[in-house]
Amino acid sequence: MSRTPATARLMDGSGLARRLVDETAARAADLTRRTGTQPCLATVLVGEDPASVTYVKMKRARCEKAGIRSRHLELPATTTTAELVAVLADLSGDPDVHGILLQHPVGPGIDERAAFEAIAPEKDVDGVTFSSFATMGFGLPGFVSCTPGGIMRLLDAYDVDPAGKRAVVVGRSAILGKPAGLMLLARNATVTYCHSYTADLSAAVREADILVAAVGRPRFIKGEDIKPGAVVIDAGYNPGNVGDVDFDTAATRASLITPVPGGVGPMTIAVLLSQTVDAAERQLA
């Protein structure tokens, strides 16, 4: 297990996620009592990618703990875009389903964006549709991408106010880097996006009061580049339980840092469950 120097404080995503799941379970139980309907999350898996299979099983187990009914559909790897879109459209029109999760990636033969857009916005509890991205960008009510949503809850739990801070997001994926930057911007941070084409990445990282690492490369961010006192959010998960930040050296300079595992990961699923109950409450109102 990684050593944690006295200068760094761990941001306990596992503990915060447990509290959020407990709150979600209480809300789900109350909704079930009031309406006679249990919130339902439908998960769709295409193919048999081992990591995806494991992740979906984990999500379904968390659903049960939170009092959310889980409906799971497994589709063969040979599924076409049209077939997947039809399945998602059927779930979108099913009043017994309140949230839909398409496990991604879905494979090279499928138009993933077309599949996402088949999910009704009111059931997009994973925050992956154009509609959800627009509501995040405009700060309107809607569903956020779950990992960035979990990051913002972590910042709040540790009293980190982004206002006036310089935030650097390393990574620009549509479900993590881009929405994380939008959420930080909405909270009045000054946001810099970095990526594989960024010249002198180390210089940008050294300016970060809040660093979000979401590049998918093990120990890509070097500890010596961390600004003393910075808040470091490592959203990476690589083989060997290694994040995108060189934890041991970064923890000697950061004021707060997320561990891998046990930091951002648990919050992703907790936010998914919370947003599923949000969706059910709105649909059953």
Side-chain angles (χ1 to χ4, degrees):
M1 185 173 180
S2 295
R3 169 178 61 88
T4 307
T7 52
R9 195 172 154 218
L10 282 183
M11 302 176 80
D12 181 12
S14 294
L16 181 59
R18 283 193 296 270
R19 293 192 292 276
L20 180 55
V21 171
D22 288 344
E23 293 170 7
T24 299
R27 291 169 53 215
D30 178 67
L31 183 65
T32 302
R33 280 194 302 269
R34 289 188 290 107
T35 66
T37 300
Q38 188 177 16
C40 176
L41 173 67
T43 55
V44 180
L45 176 65
V46 180
E48 299 178 350
D49 175 72
S52 293
V53 169
T54 298
Y55 201 42
V56 168
K57 286 181 179 178
M58 187 187 308
K59 289 173 180 174
R60 297 186 69 201
R62 296 290 193 279
C63 278
E64 184 176 353
K65 183 176 180 181
I68 296 170
R69 185 164 59 89
S70 175
R71 181 189 297 183
H72 182 56
L73 289 82
E74 292 186 6
L75 304 177
T78 54
T79 299
T80 65
T81 297
E83 290 168 340
L84 179 56
V85 164
V87 167
L88 294 167
D90 285 345
L91 292 171
S92 292
D94 188 340
D96 292 330
V97 171
H98 306 109
I100 300 170
L101 168 74
L102 172 61
Q103 182 62 39
H104 46 86
V106 291
I110 290 177
D111 183 341
E112 188 173 78
R113 176 48 50 193
F116 284 152
E117 293 312 308
I119 299 172
E122 66 272 15
K123 298 186 180 185
D124 178 27
V125 293
D126 202 25
V128 296
T129 62
F130 286 150
S131 176
S132 292
F133 199 86
T135 58
M136 282 186 280
F138 285 100
L140 299 173
F143 297 116
V144 300
S145 298
C146 291
T147 300
I151 288 171
M152 298 308 295
R153 287 177 186 253
L154 270 169
L155 293 176
D156 288 341
Y158 284 86
D159 298 319
V160 178
D161 183 0
K165 303 289 196 309
R166 186 173 296 277
V168 174
V169 180
V170 184
R172 52 179 173 173
S173 73
I175 61 171
L176 209 174
K178 287 179 181 177
L182 286 174
M183 291 180 199
L184 286 162
L185 184 64
R187 299 282 289 275
N188 298 315
T190 299
V191 178
T192 299
Y193 284 101
C194 296
H195 43 75
S196 58
Y197 288 88
T198 299
D200 200 354
L201 176 63
S202 293
V205 170
R206 285 195 292 269
E207 295 294 317
D209 300 307
I210 300 172
L211 174 69
V212 178
V215 71
R217 296 173 65 178
R219 299 189 180 96
F220 184 69
I221 306 296
K222 305 307 179 186
E224 57 265 26
D225 291 334
I226 301 299
K227 181 179 181 179
V231 176
V232 177
I233 305 292
D234 191 344
Y237 187 78
N238 304 285
N241 289 338
V242 174
D244 289 351
V245 176
D246 186 353
F247 178 88
D248 287 335
T249 53
T252 66
R253 298 172 67 84
S255 60
L256 289 165
I257 189 168
T258 57
V260 177
V264 173
M267 291 301 301
T268 300
I269 296 178
V271 170
L272 173 72
L273 301 180
S274 179
Q275 293 196 146
T276 298
V277 176
D278 289 340
E281 288 174 338
R282 295 168 190 171
Q283 292 167 45
L284 295 171

